[in-house]
Amino acid sequence: MERLNTAPSDEASRTLLTCLNSRHWAHRLTSHRPYPDLPSLLAAADEAAYDLSPDDLTEALAAETLPPLPQDTYAAAHTALNAAYAAYEARFGHVFVMCLDGMDADEALDHVLAGIRSRLANDPDEERLVASEELRRLARGRLVQLSGARGTARPATDDPHPANHPNPPPR
């Protein structure tokens, strides 16, 4: 927390963009520093995420990658999931996002498949709300990771979400 609170604004914004790639969201969190603790930062992040405009949401969704699959997933599952991802992107115009924080790797594939199947039935406006909520949840998890056990932020990297997507499935 101390590093995020004391970093120059541009560095803090770059770091926050690794959690949610919305310049408006990152600017808002940066401008409201310092945060006394992680719960305060998470509350501010939630509030800023709820206030994302359609353009902010589009910006954030454009930077997302697909949820990772366990290493031992069968090729047929990859094929089926890639087809579902393609159908989703064709319908909604953005990548499928889903927060899998706290989920066992064994359950992730089933959860993603069930989620994408059910969300394909959404109308575009409803799906933007669902995707926005998933982005908010992803940002919270990334902020918690960012804070680390010592409560310090790691520097920004070129990869917008390296910790949450170590092995994205092939597209």
Side-chain angles (χ1 to χ4, degrees):
M1 288 301 307
E2 181 181 338
R3 182 168 178 183
L4 180 64
N5 282 333
T6 60
S9 292
D10 62 333
E11 180 183 333
S13 287
R14 280 193 313 271
T15 299
L16 290 166
L17 285 169
T18 67
C19 299
L20 184 68
N21 194 51
S22 163
R23 290 181 305 250
H24 177 78
W25 181 85
H27 174 73
R28 186 165 165 185
L29 290 179
T30 300
S31 67
H32 287 96
R33 296 177 302 158
Y35 296 99
D37 52 29
L38 182 59
S40 299
L41 173 61
L42 294 176
D46 284 348
E47 183 178 326
Y50 290 132
D51 292 341
L52 290 177
S53 72
D55 288 343
D56 297 332
L57 181 58
T58 297
E59 177 186 31
L61 285 168
E64 288 297 319
T65 59
L66 298 171
L69 291 177
Q71 292 290 356
D72 61 349
T73 303
Y74 293 107
H78 277 282
T79 300
L81 198 52
N82 285 336
Y85 286 147
Y88 181 93
E89 287 186 37
R91 175 152 168 70
F92 299 113
H94 58 82
V95 71
F96 176 78
V97 291
M98 177 177 270
C99 183
L100 300 173
D101 292 353
M103 182 162 297
D104 290 335
D106 296 344
E107 298 172 10
L109 178 60
D110 290 338
H111 191 72
V112 169
L113 283 170
I116 202 166
R117 283 185 195 125
S118 70
R119 288 171 56 186
L120 275 168
N122 290 346
D123 66 58
D125 291 336
E126 182 181 16
E127 182 53 28
R128 284 186 78 77
L129 291 174
V130 173
S132 178
E133 177 61 17
E134 291 297 323
L135 283 173
R136 185 192 65 76
R137 292 179 61 217
L138 284 166
R140 282 181 67 86
R142 293 167 182 161
L143 285 168
V144 169
Q145 279 186 328
L146 188 71
S147 70
R150 298 179 316 262
T152 59
R154 63 174 168 69
T157 64
D158 292 336
D159 183 351
H161 312 295
N164 282 11
H165 304 291
N167 301 307
R171 299 183 94 191

